[in-house]
Structure formats: C-alpha cells, structure tokens
Amino acid sequence: MDVDTEQVDDVVDSAASDVDTASDDLAQTLRDNGLDSIAGIVEQVDVTEWLGEGDFTFFAPDNEAFLGLDADQTADLLTDPAQVLDVLANHTLSDTVSADELASMATVDTEAGETLEVTSEDGAVQVGAVTVVSTDIEVAGGVIHVVDGLLLP
C-alpha cells in the first residue's frame, strides 16, 4: 500500500487545526463570560494534554480566585508550564457533567488524577474546597462551571 504524503499532511494539518480551534474556543468562551484571568492562562499552554479529544467539564476559577494566591504561587503558576498544566488538569473532568448531574455526585476524578469530593447543601454545590458559582456554560466539546477558587493539586 502506497502512502500519499500529501494525504498524511492533510490529516495532520486537520488534526492540528481541530486542536487549535478547541483551545481558541475555550479561551474565547472564558473571555466572553468575564473570566479573563483563566482565559489568559489557557492561552499560554497547549491544552490538548488536559482537554482531550472528546467531552470535558472545566471548572473555571473566577477572576477573584487568583487574588487568594501569594506572590510565590502566582509566580510559579505564571512561569512554570508544567505546573500550569497540572493545575488546569485538576480543573478538568474527562466527561461533560451538567450542573444537575454534578449536584448528585459524591466525587469526581480530575484529569490530574485527583479525586475531589462533591457536596450539595441548600442549592450550593462544592467541588473540593471551592463553590460552584455559575453553571452550564456551553463550549465546543464540553461545559464550563465557574468556581470561586483554585483546585490546586
């Protein structure tokens, strides 16, 4: 079987374009919803490692969440790509989980390998130590839930 290098190049280019589009869609959706801090971080790294190829749920920290970091944590988060990817992966689930589904779950497993407890009381849902403040923001391939803190691994 002969391999047509032009066809291979087309497939590779198409896959790369799909990845770029997914990253751009996520960052733009975050910006459209006033989440500029996390959008800027998402734009700095290759999100394909934690975004995956299919459905996902992303717990997006609101802008105020970053104010709780000390200077060293902020510097590490902004300068260490490996740590950025770890933090982003810890905010990501490999399936699309709606707010209603999330409220009925006991735990979720993040792309970073962490298991986070989910609690629901008086209509407020917490994932790990953060509270979900806005839900079900649709983005290509998944859903975003806004949280009031960072889920540091």
Side-chain angles (χ1 to χ4, degrees):
M1 176 165 103
D2 292 334
V3 175
D4 183 344
T5 57
E6 188 172 314
Q7 286 177 320
V8 171
D9 288 343
D10 288 345
V11 169
V12 169
D13 289 345
S14 176
S17 175
D18 288 348
V19 166
D20 289 343
T21 299
S23 298
D24 292 345
D25 285 349
L26 178 60
Q28 188 59 52
T29 301
L30 291 167
R31 286 201 188 282
D32 289 348
N33 286 276
L35 302 166
D36 296 323
S37 295
I38 192 65
I41 292 171
V42 166
E43 291 169 338
Q44 291 180 29
V45 295
D46 177 8
V47 298
T48 57
E49 186 172 318
W50 57 270
L51 192 59
E53 296 178 12
D55 296 337
F56 68 93
T57 299
F58 184 60
F59 297 107
D62 61 16
N63 293 329
E64 291 77 26
F66 293 91
L67 300 176
L69 297 176
D70 65 34
D72 289 338
Q73 289 172 314
T74 301
D76 288 346
L77 186 58
L78 297 176
T79 60
D80 183 354
Q83 184 172 353
V84 171
L85 287 174
D86 286 346
V87 169
L88 292 175
N90 208 47
H91 286 79
T92 307
L93 309 179
S94 63
D95 293 313
T96 299
V97 178
S98 71
D100 288 340
E101 293 169 321
L102 182 64
S104 67
M105 299 173 86
T107 61
V108 292
D109 294 322
T110 71
E111 286 292 300
E114 300 276 332
T115 298
L116 303 175
E117 183 179 3
V118 178
T119 58
S120 181
E121 188 175 320
D122 297 328
V125 175
Q126 281 198 296
V127 177
V130 302
T131 301
V132 178
V133 295
S134 181
T135 60
D136 295 329
I137 300 168
E138 293 183 16
V139 61
V143 66
I144 299 168
H145 302 305
V146 181
V147 294
D148 67 354
L150 290 165
L151 296 166
L152 299 175

